[in-house]
Amino acid sequence: MQKSRLHLIATIVVTATALTVAGCAAASIPAAERAGAHAGDTTVSVGPPSGETAEVGGHTVSTADGYAADGAPMSEIAHTPAIANLDPDLRRAVARATEAAAEDGVEVRINSGWRSRAYQQALLDQGVEEHGSLDEARRWVNTPDRSTHVQGRAVDVGALDAAVWMQEHGRRFGLCQTYENESWHYELATTAGGECPPMRRDSSAG
């Protein structure tokens, strides 16, 4: 069991480092398909910035797009679009998991939740910039058409101990890690206590 946990932690450290380099999503996430097209070929209109803003992939995004500068406990950002625009069932499951984790002394912070299409495209553009190709960027960031963040069906959690806790206990609440290379990315992919589906290799697989 100890050996398995050490392996799990090592895996998360490696992927978290890759993510930091990638700049895959807001507040500790990925730089996270526009088949055959270069990101620079598409103009993204984010709309008027609202609240906290940042430059991502050459575009200005704001809290209205789901942007958050730092991860925070769900209860502290429940009023923001990043949380309020999540699927209600996912939101409830994450809230229950967060409470259970706190009882174990682990604070689950939400690094990213719902994102606007413009924000997702900005992240993809940033990923292409940093990784040098659309194919490599797609391993960490999905397209607006396919992203479960845009659909309000995914959250990214932190920090490391929270990701470890979620890997061990998330399925009690129906929460599953869906990509092998993203230990922070969770979706409501099963019923509470059910079996999680096999993970995809990375976001380029779906």
Side-chain angles (χ1 to χ4, degrees), residues 109-187:
R109 300 177 75 83
I110 306 300
N111 292 329
S112 189
W114 170 85
R115 302 174 194 151
S116 70
R117 290 179 60 85
Y119 184 13
Q120 188 68 29
Q121 185 64 58
L123 287 168
L124 184 58
D125 289 351
Q126 177 176 279
V128 171
E129 235 176 75
E130 295 182 354
H131 290 285
S133 74
L134 179 61
D135 285 346
E136 186 61 22
R138 282 282 291 104
R139 295 188 59 239
W140 303 100
V141 193
N142 225 326
T143 64
D145 286 341
R146 301 183 68 169
S147 171
T148 48
H149 283 284
V150 173
Q151 297 164 23
R153 297 193 294 108
V155 294
D156 292 340
V157 304
L160 179 60
D161 60 342
V164 171
W165 190 93
M166 288 290 285
Q167 286 187 323
E168 294 178 348
H169 305 287
R171 74 183 188 90
R172 284 166 43 195
F173 310 92
L175 298 169
C176 301
Q177 178 184 338
T178 52
Y179 299 125
E180 290 178 1
N181 68 331
E182 295 189 24
S183 58
W184 52 85
H185 180 102
Y186 283 84
E187 300 178 22

Side-chain angles (χ1 to χ4, degrees), residues 42-68:
T42 297
T43 300
V44 176
S45 175
V46 177
S50 170
E52 191 172 34
T53 64
E55 289 297 312
V56 178
H59 311 290
T60 301
V61 296
S62 74
T63 52
D65 295 295
Y67 169 76

